[in-house]
Amino acid sequence: LGDENGAFPYVIFDLPGQVELWTHSDDLRVILETLVSHLDARLVVAHVVDANHCARPTSFVAAALVSLMAMLRLELPHVNVLSKLDQVDRFRHELPF
């Protein structure tokens, strides 16, 4: 899989909205651990949250808890990313900041 220098290409696993894959089962964590142990892969989790989920406190807390659960269950470095920032003007009146 690696190039002539042994470097691996970037590989992205996209699990859009499928929190059940890692909240109710250890299968994804096992797959990721296998990649690390057998292929010496370096992994990071990017948890993408729509910016409109930050407009209401209840939605923000729910998104933050899902992100925290990903951090705890997958046990990997983690980056939270806000998406759809171009649409934030639609709900700016709901934002407390």
Side-chain angles (χ1 to χ4, degrees):
L1 286 176
D3 64 10
E4 62 275 353
N5 297 324
F8 285 90
Y10 289 97
V11 178
I12 297 174
F13 295 97
D14 185 11
L15 308 172
Q18 300 298 317
V19 297
E20 299 84 13
L21 293 174
W22 49 265
T23 58
H24 296 40
S25 171
D26 287 332
D27 293 341
L28 180 62
R29 186 176 50 80
V30 169
I31 291 169
L32 297 176
E33 286 175 353
T34 302
L35 288 172
V36 169
S37 65
H38 287 79
L39 299 177
D40 194 29
R42 308 299 191 271
L43 304 177
V44 64
V45 173
H47 186 245
V48 181
V49 176
D50 289 355
N52 64 340
H53 289 300
C54 295
R56 290 174 299 286
T58 53
S59 297
F60 173 75
V61 170
L65 288 174
V66 169
S67 178
L68 177 62
M69 183 160 258
M71 289 180 204
L72 295 174
R73 298 271 306 181
L74 298 177
E75 300 177 355
L76 290 169
H78 193 95
V79 177
N80 289 320
V81 179
L82 286 176
S83 67
K84 301 183 182 175
L85 286 174
D86 57 328
Q87 298 178 10
V88 78
D89 286 337
R90 288 190 205 171
F91 48 88
R92 184 169 300 281
H93 62 282
E94 298 179 45
L95 297 173
F97 48 88

